Amino acid sequence: MAKEFLGEFEEIILTLVAGLQEDAYGAAIAEEIETRLKREVNLSAVHVTLYRLEDKGLIKSKFGGGTNERGGRKKRIFTITNSGLAMLKAMKEARVDLWKLVPQLQIA
Amino acid sequence: MMKANPPRGALRMLSWFCPGHLYEEIEGDLIQQFSRDLKRFTKGRSRRRFYWNMIRFFRPGILLRNKPTTRLTSLDMFTNYLKVAFRVMLRNKGYSFINLFSLALGITAFAFLFLWIQNEFTYDQFHADKDRIYKAWNRVEANGKINCWDVTARVLAPTLNEEYSGVESAVSYTAWGEQHLFVRGDKRLIKTSGAYADSTFLTMFSFPLIKGDARTVFQNPQSIVITESFARELFGDEEAFGENVYIGEGGDGLSLTVTGVLKDLPHNTDFHFEYMIPYSLVEKFNGKEVYWGNNSVYTFVKLKEGVDIGSFNEQVKNIVKTHTKDNDEHEVFLYPLTKMRLYSKFENGVPSGGRIEIIRLMGILGVCLLVIACINFINLSTARAQRRSKEVAVRKVTGAFRNSLVGQFLCESILLAFGAGMLSLIAVYLGLPFFSRLINENLTLQFSNLNFWIGGISLILIVGILAGSYPALYLSAFKPVKILKGMAISTSGKSLIRSVLVVIQFGVAISLIVSVFVVQRQINYVQNRDTGYDKKNLVYQYFTGTLRKNYESYKNELLQLGAAESITKTSTPITNRWSNTDGIEWEGKDPNDKTLFERIYEDNHFATTAGLTVIRGRDMDLEKFPTDSTAAVLNEAAVKAMGFADPIGQIIKDNGIEWHVIGVVKDFILTSPFNKVEPVILFGCKQSWPFAVAHIKLSSSKSTQESIAIMADLAKKYNPDYPFEYEFVDVAYARKFANLEATRMITILASFLTILIAGLGLLGLSTYLVEVRVKEIGIRKVMGGSVLSITNMLTWASIRPILFAVLIFGPQAWFAMNWWLSSYPYRISIGIFTIPLAALTIIFLAVLITTTQTIRAAKANPVNSLRSE
């Protein structure tokens, strides 16, 4: 079987799930993307991607508590699975490998 | 801090498409986003953003997660409904049985009647060009009334073919049951199932040929077309097509070639024949018949496409008048083949129903039976609603909507209807052969036909919804607060709707009982009608083969051997009409008088042989009075029609022959015992051609078997080629009642079913009423109420609607049965006692049913009902 690839947006979301840990749910991730990456992102796009990643087994989810801010509705907290972590690492290494091909001159 | 709520409409819209298991978190995220937006933007902009964010969720990635989950949840609920329905049914076995059984009975009865009606509507509808095929009728005005009949002149069909451009083809057709002997090798078969027709018959109608070409089968007059099963009977496994068959015997017969083998005719056609012989063969021997006055064949006409029947009828109207010199007033008109079976009754020249009236009645009957069964379900489930009220209340409290409760109860009734449907499918399957025989049709269940299943399932759904919708609406309307607080609903068990439904049930029941009584009495009345002749030991025998030739010796030997007391040859059995005419002439006849007289020819002593009572003059006696060969004997009706004060010695003229009247016999029934007696003239034996039947009065000194044995021996001697056949007149006479017998069986069955279903319902209701009032009964007894007074009170409550039913439906039943009777000229009058008698019967039954429950309740020890609260 060919190795599975992730799209750029999927990779960002997966990374954020790994990074935000107990605070990884739809709205929070969307906000992180907006504040850190300065990039407009739609809530529904985040949700759909999260579900897709869950289908692929890269993340898993459980219900978390609700807050006043969200009208008492429960959050769905996502956590990264081992295969998700492996995938993330593999991708990072691949990036680094590729990066090494770029002539160092230009940075200096 | 601004406090603003997210737009509710947006949330509701989200709920329409968002999968249930994702809904909460998505909603939460949207609200969270909204709260944060509020800090940055205005309220309006935040709301707009909320809507926009919500709408963005309307995308495949979300929508596609919907399907499997929603289906699962409703299926869960559905299985729960089924489970509860089963438990409820099992808990109340008695009531469930009543519901199930009465629904099954209703559906079964409806299915039978429906199959019958459906079958009736398929008669002769399978012909490819049925919309262009017509049957020709005659219309004539006589004695101030327009009469219509469908036998026409033989010459009509060829004339239509030749002179009318709108006609594609026209054929004469007869199947009068003439006897033919078929000889093939050693095999001899006597058949009366033949038909004569013109050559285009098989191209006009869609009776498919297995062998042969419909266009050319009758090119040669010496040909015959036979059906598949007749071919097998005559030829065995040999090929019939192209072979010769011999009809008749010795030198008299002739050889015909089988030019076509027909597929057996379907059962749903009014054409009945096993073999068909072309008219060209008849005409080869007898010459062409061109006489317009002899109406004895059916004429079928196929018009060319696009010919308007209205204008064609206008053209064809005077066809008889233009072809005859004498002033014949017959008018001809065409009537559609598709209406031949159900709509072929004419009253004063206008179509006025026909068989369709019976079919409609049967349809109404079927629907009535179904409705009665549904009423049982409605009454029992609403009466027992209190039992379910807690369940309804708890379901509502835990969040059930009214719709889902309606759905639940409909589910239950449809489930029950399905169970009943299964039972009735079995019942219909097992009972269909009996029912087919009863109505003399060939009905089948078409399991392989998709429509059968669609029809059956939709019938069950309709019954389920019909029976279940009112209880569902009634039960689902309960207010949970009231019920859970302990307030009971209608403990008295009284309800206007329920009473009205019971009135309807028993109204139908009383109508049917009245009809049973009336039909039964009418049958008895007609069966006991004096026939005017002595049926006992009277036998008739058709002249087959050489019996006609050897009649004199046969007769003499029978008399000699003491097997018979008296023998007369006639033109027709005394139970049949043979020929009639309005052309009899006598002295003083009004030229406009068109009274029909029935003709019977006899040789001698017919009054003695048949046991007719001679009231004036004498019987024919050729030995004493040789001039009796031109004698005539009238019946009373004929004397009255001719207006003779003294009929003896009068001369009457028929077909140019003068006959002198020698006697008068008492009226006797020639055709139908339901009709008035027709005027009959018994003519002497001047002509020899009409004679076809021997009437034999068997000897009373010998047993019937002995006499028949002697007849059989002699028949072998004098008529060796033909099998010995005879018929008792009383058997032939009894056949006249066959139709009425079917009516009687159907009314009896239907009223039995109605009473059974309604009675079951009443049993259920009264059981329940007693159950509900058990405490009241206990208190009444403690206070000194007697068993009798309590029984009275309880019974009266159940009986009252039935009394209403009697009052409302009794008079209607009376009118309906009067209408039914009016079709029989010889009939009973319903009388004043029929309705009260029927009413008493049904009230007696109802009292019987209810008292089984009420007496038990009234007798019960009040301690048992009062000790616990």
Side-chain angles (χ1 to χ4, degrees), chain A residues 25-28 30-31 34 42-45 47-48 51-52 55 63 69-76 78, chain B residues 11 21-22 24-33 35-36 39-40 49 52-53 56-57 59 61-62 65:
Chain A
Y25 62 95
E31 209 175 80
E34 271 173 41
N42 188 277
L43 208 49
S44 67
H47 275 265
V48 168
Y51 300 143
R52 194 160 57 230
D55 287 346
F63 275 117
E69 194 185 25
R70 44 194 288 125
R73 267 63 163 190
K74 278 185 263 180
K75 302 166 183 165
R76 186 187 289 273
F78 292 91
Chain B
L11 289 179
H21 65 288
L22 300 179
E24 184 168 353
E25 48 162 315
I26 291 178
E27 193 186 21
D29 283 358
L30 279 171
I31 294 171
Q32 183 174 345
Q33 178 98 43
S35 317
R36 292 189 184 174
K39 290 173 194 158
R40 286 192 288 161
R49 276 176 65 93
W52 181 235
N53 283 335
R56 292 288 289 270
F57 273 95
R59 55 194 286 170
I62 300 292
R65 292 176 192 271

Side-chain angles (χ1 to χ4, degrees), chain A residues 13-79:
Chain A
I13 301 263
L14 187 60
T15 321
L16 278 171
V17 167
L20 287 172
Q21 310 231 343
E22 281 306 300
D23 209 24
Y25 62 95
I29 293 171
E31 209 175 80
E32 283 300 313
I33 294 175
E34 271 173 41
T35 51
R36 285 181 190 274
L37 302 183
K38 307 276 181 289
R39 172 171 163 177
E40 269 293 311
V41 64
N42 188 277
L43 208 49
S44 67
V46 176
H47 275 265
V48 168
T49 314
L50 282 170
Y51 300 143
R52 194 160 57 230
L53 290 174
E54 192 177 11
D55 287 346
K56 289 179 179 173
L58 303 178
I59 56 179
K60 60 189 179 191
S61 72
K62 63 173 190 284
F63 275 117
T67 58
N68 238 353
E69 194 185 25
R70 44 194 288 125
R73 267 63 163 190
K74 278 185 263 180
K75 302 166 183 165
R76 186 187 289 273
I77 306 294
F78 292 91
T79 43

Side-chain angles (χ1 to χ4, degrees), chain B residues 556-577:
Chain B
N556 290 336
E557 207 160 328
L558 271 177
L559 290 172
Q560 249 168 32
L561 291 171
E565 278 174 5
S566 172
I567 303 177
T568 304
K569 67 172 174 179
T570 57
S571 54
T572 170
I574 194 159
T575 52
N576 282 357
R577 154 182 288 157

Side-chain angles (χ1 to χ4, degrees), chain B residues 547-820:
Chain B
L547 199 58
R548 184 196 298 268
K549 209 168 63 192
N550 298 328
Y551 168 71
E552 286 302 324
S553 352
Y554 178 64
K555 168 183 158 183
N556 290 336
E557 207 160 328
L558 271 177
L559 290 172
Q560 249 168 32
L561 291 171
E565 278 174 5
S566 172
I567 303 177
T568 304
K569 67 172 174 179
T570 57
S571 54
T572 170
I574 194 159
T575 52
N576 282 357
R577 154 182 288 157
W578 176 70
S579 159
N580 55 25
T581 176
D582 59 7
I584 303 278
E585 288 165 45
W586 65 88
E587 212 186 301
K589 183 188 181 183
D590 174 3
N592 291 324
D593 190 340
K594 295 260 184 184
T595 313
L596 278 178
F597 290 88
E598 299 292 329
R599 296 182 178 113
I600 299 180
Y601 291 87
E602 59 149 315
D603 63 341
N604 216 351
H605 309 303
F606 189 52
T608 317
T609 309
L612 301 170
T613 319
V614 180
I615 49 177
R616 290 181 95 159
R618 58 180 175 81
D619 197 6
M620 283 189 206
D621 190 345
L622 269 179
E623 286 95 42
K624 260 198 213 158
F625 306 96
T627 55
D628 273 3
S629 62
T630 56
V633 174
L634 308 180
N635 72 349
E636 289 170 298
V639 173
K640 210 171 136 204
M642 294 178 183
F644 290 142
D646 180 18
I648 310 296
Q650 295 280 0
I651 302 293
I652 56 176
K653 262 170 91 174
D654 179 27
N655 272 350
I657 301 174
E658 292 194 347
W659 308 83
H660 60 280
V661 178
I662 57 161
V664 177
V665 292
K666 225 177 96 186
D667 278 340
F668 62 95
I669 300 165
L670 179 70
T671 53
S672 166
F674 303 102
N675 289 340
K676 292 206 178 74
V677 171
E678 302 90 348
V680 182
I681 306 172
L682 303 169
F683 293 101
C685 59
K686 186 177 162 63
Q687 301 150 298
S688 63
W689 59 267
F691 292 98
V693 188
H695 278 87
I696 301 166
K697 177 76 172 177
L698 298 179
S699 163
S700 51
S701 58
K702 279 194 166 56
S703 78
T704 315
Q705 283 94 331
E706 275 179 275
S707 307
I708 296 289
I710 294 170
M711 273 173 67
D713 284 344
L714 290 178
K716 202 170 270 172
K717 180 170 157 194
Y718 289 113
N719 190 19
D721 288 333
Y722 281 77
F724 172 57
E725 278 175 339
Y726 64 96
E727 177 122 65
F728 279 98
V729 169
D730 50 0
V731 177
Y733 186 75
R735 238 179 283 139
K736 293 176 191 289
F737 293 93
N739 265 338
L740 202 59
E741 204 61 36
T743 314
R744 185 173 74 145
M745 280 310 289
I746 285 166
T747 51
I748 288 182
L749 275 178
S751 54
F752 173 74
L753 278 179
T754 315
I755 291 169
L756 188 64
I757 297 173
L760 279 173
L762 190 65
L763 181 71
L765 267 187
S766 51
T767 314
Y768 179 72
L769 287 189
V770 166
E771 231 173 83
V772 165
R773 296 173 75 173
V774 79
K775 288 233 156 67
E776 180 194 335
I777 296 166
I779 293 170
R780 278 178 190 274
K781 282 196 86 172
V782 169
M783 304 300 258
S786 69
V787 172
L788 188 69
S789 69
I790 291 171
T791 312
N792 251 347
M793 177 196 77
L794 292 174
T795 312
W796 182 240
S798 305
I799 296 300
R800 203 164 18 206
I802 294 163
L803 290 182
F804 269 111
V806 168
L807 286 180
I808 295 169
F809 285 82
Q812 281 175 356
W814 192 83
F815 281 117
M817 288 325 284
N818 257 338
W819 172 81
W820 177 75

Side-chain angles (χ1 to χ4, degrees), chain B residues 345 357-358 361 813-824 830:
Chain B
K345 198 172 106 190
E357 291 166 22
I358 300 175
L361 271 187
W814 192 83
F815 281 117
M817 288 325 284
N818 257 338
W819 172 81
W820 177 75
L821 278 175
S822 67
S823 62
Y824 297 103
I830 296 186

